[in-house]
Amino acid sequence: MRHDPAAPFGFHAPGTLPRALIGFCQAQPLTPMGRRLALWLRRVAMLLQGPVFDVAVRGINLRLYPDDNVGERKFLFMPQFFDPAEMALLADRLPRDGTFVDIGANVGLYTLNAARLLGPAGRILAIEPGPEAARRLRFNLSINRTDAAITHVDCAIGAEEGVLGLYLDNSNLGGSSLVRDHGGASTPVRVRPLLDVLGGAGVTGIDVLKIDIEGAEDKALLPFFAAAPESLWPRVIIIERSQESWGGDLLGRLKAAGYRAFGDSRMNWLFERG
């Protein structure tokens, strides 16, 4: 099917056989055998459908491009394997009137899962600098009605205001990074300190903060904890396990700030303060 990014939602709805394969993949158990079967069947569905899928997954409307983004591919075909510890944490720790900050929001998978948990008093700040990821994010936000207020900020988070090159990962849109050169192109993006972004959005408290920015987490959070009042420190933090790329001791700073690691996640550190 011809890809038309401006087409209304539903234009790229999967056909009968791809839709059946998606349903079968999503029904597989959380076992190694279930995962292997789903991985095989999704290849068939992607060959049949093409690069774009307009779908509803777990009650969320999405236009997904599974060919070039690991997160989109996983959530489309295997949402049961999509960060299950983190999804359970959001359901348990994010109050109905809470605030969720999503740094490295990608195409909105965490943001829209969090939005399902929030009521009219809840709010989400989704921060994503990548031009293509931000375009997909905006579209996905536009096709979902949520009680919570969602604000998208089109910038990267760093130590100071400026412009840096975002290294693009053509095989995985979510792998684009300020610090990891994938050997491909880069694109200039605006960089802002987290404290400034929160102030501009009127955020005065954070219940859960998720940050996944491919090795630049220390550059975003160390300046924040040095400058922000404790009232603005998140109660819970989900942070990508990228410590091999960090230049500063972010784990030590979090421990000094009163955070403790908890939970069981292969991809992320889960921290709670108190």
Side-chain angles (χ1 to χ4, degrees):
M1 179 184 289
R2 179 177 60 89
H3 170 217
D4 182 0
F9 179 69
F11 181 83
H12 296 288
T16 301
L17 183 52
R19 187 167 61 249
L21 291 172
I22 292 169
F24 191 81
C25 291
Q26 293 177 353
Q28 293 308 298
L30 279 166
T31 63
M33 180 60 71
R35 184 175 184 276
R36 283 195 294 270
L37 182 57
L39 287 172
W40 187 80
L41 290 175
R42 81 180 185 189
R43 296 190 187 102
V44 179
M46 290 168 65
L47 286 172
L48 291 171
Q49 171 68 15
V52 191
F53 292 70
D54 285 354
V55 291
V57 182
R58 296 191 169 179
I60 302 171
N61 292 327
L62 295 163
R63 173 165 289 173
L64 297 175
Y65 299 74
D67 277 347
D68 68 356
N69 198 352
V70 170
E72 292 180 73
R73 190 158 61 240
K74 183 181 288 187
F75 195 70
L76 171 58
F77 291 101
M78 297 180 292
Q80 67 274 36
F81 289 94
F82 181 82
D83 295 2
E86 291 82 351
M87 294 298 104
L89 183 152
L90 286 177
D92 184 54
R93 305 298 177 91
L94 188 60
R96 287 276 294 168
D97 61 350
T99 296
F100 176 63
V101 175
D102 188 356
I103 305 176
N106 204 320
V107 303
L109 300 179
Y110 265 82
T111 285
L112 287 167
N113 271 284
R116 296 167 61 218
L117 306 170
L118 293 170
R123 67 172 306 185
I124 296 174
L125 187 62
I127 303 169
E128 174 54 52
E132 176 59 17
R135 184 193 69 78
R136 298 181 192 181
L137 169 64
R138 287 191 295 268
F139 184 85
N140 287 333
L141 294 181
S142 75
I143 58 175
N144 286 276
R145 295 184 63 183
T146 63
D147 291 333
I150 303 176
T151 302
H152 166 230
V153 179
D154 188 356
C155 74
I157 300 298
E160 58 188 20
E161 181 86 28
V163 175
L164 290 175
L166 180 71
Y167 298 110
L168 303 177
D169 186 341
N170 293 327
S171 65
N172 177 23
L173 188 69
S176 300
S177 172
L178 291 174
V179 298
R180 296 173 180 166
D181 186 348
H182 300 285
S186 69
T187 187
V189 296
R190 184 184 182 189
V191 180
R192 299 176 62 195
L194 178 57
L195 189 57
D196 290 356
V197 173
L198 296 175
V203 174
T204 57
I206 303 171
D207 292 286
V208 181
L209 180 143
K210 167 256 180 185
I211 180 168
D212 179 352
I213 50 175
E214 302 301 315
E217 293 80 12
D218 61 325
K219 293 176 174 55
L221 292 185
L222 285 173
F224 169 75
F225 280 104
E230 288 194 29
S231 60
L232 203 52
W233 293 2
R235 293 194 303 112
V236 174
I237 300 176
I238 302 168
I239 179 170
E240 184 186 26
R241 292 179 180 264
S242 295
Q243 58 269 36
E244 73 282 352
S245 298
W246 298 344
D249 184 12
L250 179 54
L251 296 180
R253 183 66 183 90
L254 291 174
K255 183 178 179 180
Y259 288 90
R260 64 175 183 87
F262 73 102
D264 181 20
S265 170
R266 183 174 65 88
M267 299 297 296
N268 298 291
W269 293 100
L270 310 180
F271 287 99
E272 183 175 36
R273 188 165 186 258

